Amino acid sequence: MQLSKQDWVTVVTRIFFLALPFLYFPMLTEPVMLPRQVLLNVFCFFLVLLLLFSGEKLMTDRRFFTTRLFLSCAGWILANILSGIFCINSAEWMAGLSKYILYVLFFMMLSVYLVAGKTDTRELTRSIILFAFLTTAIAGFEIIGMIIRSPGLSWLNLDTISSSIADKNLLASSLFLTFPFLLSAGSLGTSWKKFSTGIFTVQLIVLVIIQIKAVLLAGIIFFVVLFFYRKDFFRDEKKRKKRKTGNTPLYLLILILAASGLFAFNFFDNTFVQKVFAYTYKFHAVGTRLELWENSMGMIGHHFFTGVGTNHWQVWFPKEGLSKFSESVVHGISSYQEPHNDFLRVFSESGVMGFLFYAAIFFAGIHYGIRLTRNTTDKVMKRQTILFTATLIGYAVISLVDFPLAGIEHNVLFFTILSILTAGNLQRFNFPVKMWQVKKKLLVALSIILVLCFTVSCFRVNGEYHSEKLNRALKSGDWNQVLSEKENASAIFYNMDHFSTPLAWYSGVARLNKGEVKKAATELESAYKIHPYHLRTLIDLAGCYEKMNLHKKAIDYYEKAMEISPDFRESRLELSRAYFNAGDFQMAFVSISNCKPDTMDYAYMKILNSILEKKNMSMEEFMAEYKKSADKE
């Protein structure tokens, strides 16, 4: 049996959404994002090729290319392209740009197919309900398995619950984006409605357990919007009388149980309830977010118009200072990859123009939803547009305090909602329709862009695979393996791993441990060019120069490290040693005076005694001077 174009789109779309939750590759440093990005790329490529080689003319509404949503998306992409002029690392810029281009091309192609009638909202809803079922089921089994394996629930770790999305924040926000599809399943028939109600109920339980405050807040806003439009949720007066409450008692019961759990926290010790609801009282995450936003605002202040470059927030983050963060960040052992605010990320990376266009995408989507709700007489469409509008408002709140822009499935769901709203607006309002045949030249251009995006993704998948092996070799001290895996991972579109560590740093450390100081310095110089604010690179490069008796160069790089992390004791001691070896005893004294005295610290005492000897100062005089200086502060 030969399938029509619409049948092909339906089948492949269903496969796409069914495959998304299962793409998890633990052999990669980041096991989720890149594999799903490749899948999205392949799906978009299929949509383009289906038009290119089917031989059938596709007529769509020309007005789509002048809609606010499409123009906002195009402006956002343009801002990201322009940000590449000022970026430090072109490989990272290209990686971020290719991902954003995929989001917009997905939105564009899906909208064109919807307007042309080659797919419809009902089929998309079915596919997303199945996606929601799989994602929720995986999370549910994960929670059950954790409870079974936890003796007495004593080591239950809710932070590890992530389904197949690798992060519980991203899990929660992806579940939230499926709400409108689950709650509008009544139009698909009784079986789909019951199925979706069950999924939605389990989702609420999962969200209560994992306690992601951003999503809980978005959920409250979502239901407030639905309450505002409550009268439009009933198709006619007869059904309104029969269904005065619908599923409200069930969801109210879940909320009552959740509230009861919060009170139970005060009465039970070392129980599941305590483990779950302890997360409600974790306020340190709020403080960390504020500190991350402070660094983001610093980037925006220095690069207001141009931005620092797409996918460069994590590169510039250390430059704005690390003193206010945890010890592991201060010491350069770990770093943050997300500011936990997508709007600040976009602003800092692509400048004010990128921020305005990205915000305009949300405003345009919400405007389309409100407009359709007010003007449509179709009860099913009205109900679904209300759900979409409530979801977009809630998702904007999540984006203000989290990082769903990083998730592939999040943007697939987000832009699917936008595509449905765009198509609905074009089909509903009686403007002069300007039908337009999709040109082959446009499809060929899109194919070339998608091939380039696919190439970037493939290079990065290979890089992530070898980076994972590289990290294991580093931990085991296998320096030859480190050098080998670094060469295998390096590529034109991949020179820095998922943790923002230049690959050349790994080979530099390996060379240093093998005693090849000059070669190590060369590798670390390359790492510095790739990421000039990577703390360990600065310190290790300075150490190489110090071993080569290039004291001035060593001092320069230690000073750069101190600008980033002035509270890093090890680096300050090495700076003091470099000044001492260079013969500048006064600066060596000033540098070590900024370290808190610790007579049990052998390295500290060794440097200090050498400096005090040169200055003819006793330990008692030094301690008195230090105490006097500390009292003034």
Side-chain angles (χ1 to χ4, degrees), residues 13 95 135 158 204 253 258 317 389 402 406 415 420 443 450 510 519:
T13 301
T135 304
L158 298 176
L204 290 181
L253 177 62
F317 161 71
T389 305
D402 235 323
F415 281 104
I420 293 171
L443 296 175
L450 287 168
K519 289 183 178 179

Side-chain angles (χ1 to χ4, degrees), residues 441-457:
K441 290 181 180 178
L442 173 62
L443 296 175
V444 170
L446 293 179
S447 299
I448 294 171
I449 293 171
L450 287 168
V451 168
L452 178 58
C453 292
F454 185 76
T455 303
V456 173
S457 298

Side-chain angles (χ1 to χ4, degrees), residues 337-603:
Q337 305 303 309
E338 297 289 344
H340 285 263
N341 186 318
D342 281 343
F343 293 101
L344 283 181
R345 179 174 191 119
V346 169
F347 202 155
S348 61
E349 290 186 342
S350 55
V352 64
M353 186 172 76
F355 166 74
L356 292 175
F357 279 122
Y358 187 66
I361 294 173
F362 282 84
F363 284 117
I366 295 168
H367 169 71
Y368 281 1
I370 294 172
R371 189 185 187 201
L372 264 178
T373 301
R374 288 177 176 175
N375 291 279
T376 186
T377 55
D378 185 326
K379 294 294 184 181
V380 174
M381 179 180 286
K382 178 169 287 194
R383 179 184 175 88
Q384 194 165 47
T385 53
I386 291 171
L387 289 167
F388 286 150
T389 305
T391 302
L392 290 177
I393 295 171
Y395 186 64
V397 172
I398 294 172
S399 298
L400 280 168
V401 293
D402 235 323
F403 49 96
L405 182 60
I408 301 299
E409 51 279 296
H410 301 73
N411 290 279
V412 166
L413 296 169
F414 175 57
F415 281 104
T416 297
I417 293 172
L418 296 181
S419 297
I420 293 171
L421 291 174
T422 302
N425 271 266
L426 290 173
Q427 293 166 347
R428 172 67 183 83
F429 296 102
N430 297 318
F431 296 112
V433 178
K434 298 180 179 179
M435 298 308 290
W436 175 74
Q437 181 184 344
V438 179
K439 304 293 184 183
K440 282 196 173 183
K441 290 181 180 178
L442 173 62
L443 296 175
V444 170
L446 293 179
S447 299
I448 294 171
I449 293 171
L450 287 168
V451 168
L452 178 58
C453 292
F454 185 76
T455 303
V456 173
S457 298
C458 288
F459 272 112
R460 294 187 70 81
V461 167
N462 176 74
E464 289 288 294
Y465 172 70
H466 288 288
S467 286
E468 179 67 16
K469 298 173 73 174
L470 176 61
N471 273 285
R472 289 200 296 266
L474 181 74
K475 290 175 183 177
S476 65
D478 188 344
W479 308 121
N480 289 326
Q481 183 70 13
V482 168
L483 294 173
S484 174
E485 293 300 337
K486 182 264 180 181
E487 291 302 319
N488 292 332
S490 298
I492 186 173
F493 296 121
Y494 190 83
N495 55 25
M496 194 166 70
D497 71 9
H498 176 68
F499 308 106
S500 303
T501 299
L503 299 181
W505 176 81
Y506 291 100
S507 53
V509 170
R511 297 285 186 192
L512 199 56
N513 279 277
K514 285 167 66 81
E516 302 170 356
V517 179
K518 289 186 178 180
K519 289 183 178 179
T522 302
E523 294 282 359
L524 291 168
E525 285 166 359
S526 299
Y528 175 74
K529 291 176 183 177
I530 292 168
H531 189 343
Y533 309 114
H534 186 254
L535 188 59
R536 300 307 309 189
T537 295
L538 292 171
I539 292 170
D540 291 335
L541 181 56
C544 282
Y545 287 139
E546 185 63 19
K547 288 185 177 182
M548 296 162 66
N549 293 320
L550 300 173
H551 304 301
K552 188 177 184 307
K553 276 191 171 184
I555 290 168
D556 288 343
Y557 283 96
Y558 279 131
E559 290 285 7
K560 289 176 180 178
M562 285 294 94
E563 289 176 10
I564 291 171
S565 186
D567 295 333
F568 190 5
R569 181 182 180 87
E570 175 192 334
S571 182
R572 192 167 291 283
L573 289 177
E574 292 303 321
L575 174 62
S576 181
R577 190 198 305 276
Y579 273 123
F580 182 85
N581 292 337
D584 192 338
F585 306 126
Q586 178 57 31
M587 286 304 299
F589 178 78
V590 170
S591 180
I592 204 167
S593 295
N594 289 316
C595 292
K596 185 177 179 180
D598 183 359
T599 56
M600 301 301 292
D601 185 340
Y602 174 77

Side-chain angles (χ1 to χ4, degrees), residues 228-241:
F228 181 78
Y229 284 107
R230 62 192 179 280
K231 292 182 179 180
D232 294 310
F233 267 53
F234 303 96
R235 298 186 183 182
D236 51 50
E237 290 298 326
K238 291 181 180 179
K239 289 189 176 181
R240 184 180 303 181
K241 290 177 182 178

